[in-house]
Amino acid sequence: MLFLAQLLNGLQYGVLLFLLAAGLTLVFGIMSFVNLAHGSLYMMGAYFAASVANSTGSFMLGLLAAVVGCLALGVLLERVAVSRLYGRDHLNHVLATFGLIMFFNELASMLWGKQPLFVSVPSVLEGSINLLGLQYPSYRFAVIAAGLLVAVGCYLLIHKTRLGMLIRAGANNAPMVGALGVNIKFLNALLFAVGAALAGLAGAVAGPILSVQAGMGEPVLIATFVVIVIGGIGSVKGAFYSALIVGVVDTMGRAFLPTLLREMTSRQLADAAGPALASLLIYLLMATVLALRPQGLFTAKR
């Protein structure tokens, strides 16, 4: 039962990572823009959802506010700052978006204070589901289902629509696509806004599981970059599978590695080294994948 519970927790964490990685893959992998502020959009989505849900009592309104708010915020950021950095060196991207991280963290502290906000699970999902004798929270199952729906939607958008064809063509040869009459600037703005909306959705669904506070986007952003590198830069399919792998490996490592070490070493050493080694597992996984397959598990199809 403990193994099954941790496996489901790993899948739920992996799906949450995918909601972030899907948007970041579009921006980083397809547009070649290094957006460190993606975690800040995740944080703002969590704040938008928490504020609206707590004031109205409707989690669905909070979810809608997070998606629409981050979509609008993405459009604003792209027009004001990001569009000026296209074609520049990645170091410029990193410096500019790192400044945005500090700006949004301070803005969140000014608007909502330094104390964390808490969001209640929607009443329809307050119960649990019996799975092979395990009572597992319904809300976490709903998060997994939402991630699967987003995965299918992203795949259909990128590979089965005319817009997806233009996105892939623009990533491969933007000047040629522009010469054919396609508005590349609008296409880039749309991609960035969609990525921001997905980050807001991830923040909204994470609110009832985690506390909403300033700076919550940076730790998960690091794991999201690991997901993208393992899956293959620019591949939505790779982001999905690698997010599930990273989620399960990280959760299982934190749950069981200290216990396994106690069987081989002293309890004091296991308690000291176990959590540290568990936190390194996803980076060891990334290093192994890069050593065996530098392009990642999947390559983006153009």
Side-chain angles (χ1 to χ4, degrees):
M1 289 299 102
L2 176 61
F3 178 85
L4 180 58
Q6 295 303 328
L7 177 62
L8 291 172
N9 285 339
L11 291 176
Q12 179 261 306
Y13 178 50
V15 163
L16 184 62
L17 286 177
F18 171 72
L19 291 177
L20 271 170
L24 194 57
T25 293
L26 295 175
V27 176
F28 180 38
I30 296 178
M31 295 170 58
S32 190
F33 183 84
V34 183
N35 182 24
L36 296 185
H38 199 72
S40 297
L41 293 169
Y42 161 83
M43 176 190 70
M44 295 303 292
Y47 270 115
F48 290 154
S51 300
V52 173
N54 289 338
S55 61
T56 64
S58 172
F59 180 79
M60 293 306 298
L61 284 179
L63 197 67
L64 181 63
V67 174
V68 174
C70 285
L71 180 69
L73 191 57
V75 172
L76 179 64
L77 281 179
E78 201 279 336
R79 296 290 293 175
V80 173
V82 174
S83 61
R84 305 174 189 273
L85 299 171
Y86 294 145
R88 295 195 181 186
D89 187 80
H90 285 168
L91 179 60
N92 293 314
H93 303 170
V94 170
L95 293 175
T97 52
F98 183 75
L100 289 174
I101 290 176
M102 294 187 288
F103 169 78
F104 279 115
N105 284 344
E106 290 300 318
L107 179 65
S109 297
M110 290 171 58
L111 294 178
W112 289 284
K114 296 186 180 295
Q115 296 299 318
L117 298 180
F118 299 95
V119 188
S120 299
V121 173
S123 57
V124 69
L125 296 174
E126 283 182 346
S128 59
I129 295 175
N130 189 300
L131 183 65
L132 301 177
L134 173 69
Q135 296 294 326
Y136 196 74
S138 300
Y139 181 77
R140 291 180 179 263
F141 270 117
V143 172
I144 295 174
L148 294 177
L149 288 175
V150 171
V152 173
C154 287
Y155 176 81
L156 294 177
L157 172 67
I158 298 298
H159 296 284
K160 302 296 182 181
T161 66
R162 184 176 184 274
L163 177 61
M165 178 190 67
L166 293 176
I167 290 171
R168 288 181 283 119
N172 194 43
N173 194 332
M176 179 62 71
V177 175
L180 294 174
V182 177
N183 190 335
I184 294 297
K185 290 184 178 180
F186 174 77
L187 201 61
N188 287 338
L190 179 63
L191 268 178
F192 193 88
V194 170
L198 289 175
L201 175 63
V205 299
I209 300 173
L210 309 171
S211 60
V212 180
Q213 56 189 330
M216 65 181 290
E218 283 73 73
V220 73
L221 179 67
I222 297 173
T224 304
F225 272 111
V226 171
V227 166
I228 292 175
V229 171
I230 291 176
I233 295 175
S235 173
V236 175
K237 176 181 171 183
F240 174 71
Y241 287 115
S242 63
L244 296 183
I245 293 171
V246 168
V248 171
V249 168
D250 183 73
T251 303
M252 290 294 192
R254 294 178 187 277
F256 296 112
L257 188 58
T259 303
L260 291 176
L261 288 177
R262 290 192 194 106
E263 300 295 327
M264 298 180 287
T265 62
S266 65
R267 184 182 182 88
Q268 183 178 5
L269 179 60
D271 290 341
L277 290 176
S279 65
L280 291 175
L281 281 180
I282 61 172
Y283 305 107
L284 293 175
L285 174 63
M286 180 178 69
T288 302
V289 170
L290 290 178
L292 299 176
R293 191 175 171 83
Q295 71 272 30
L297 297 178
F298 298 87
T299 55
K301 295 180 180 179
R302 302 300 189 193

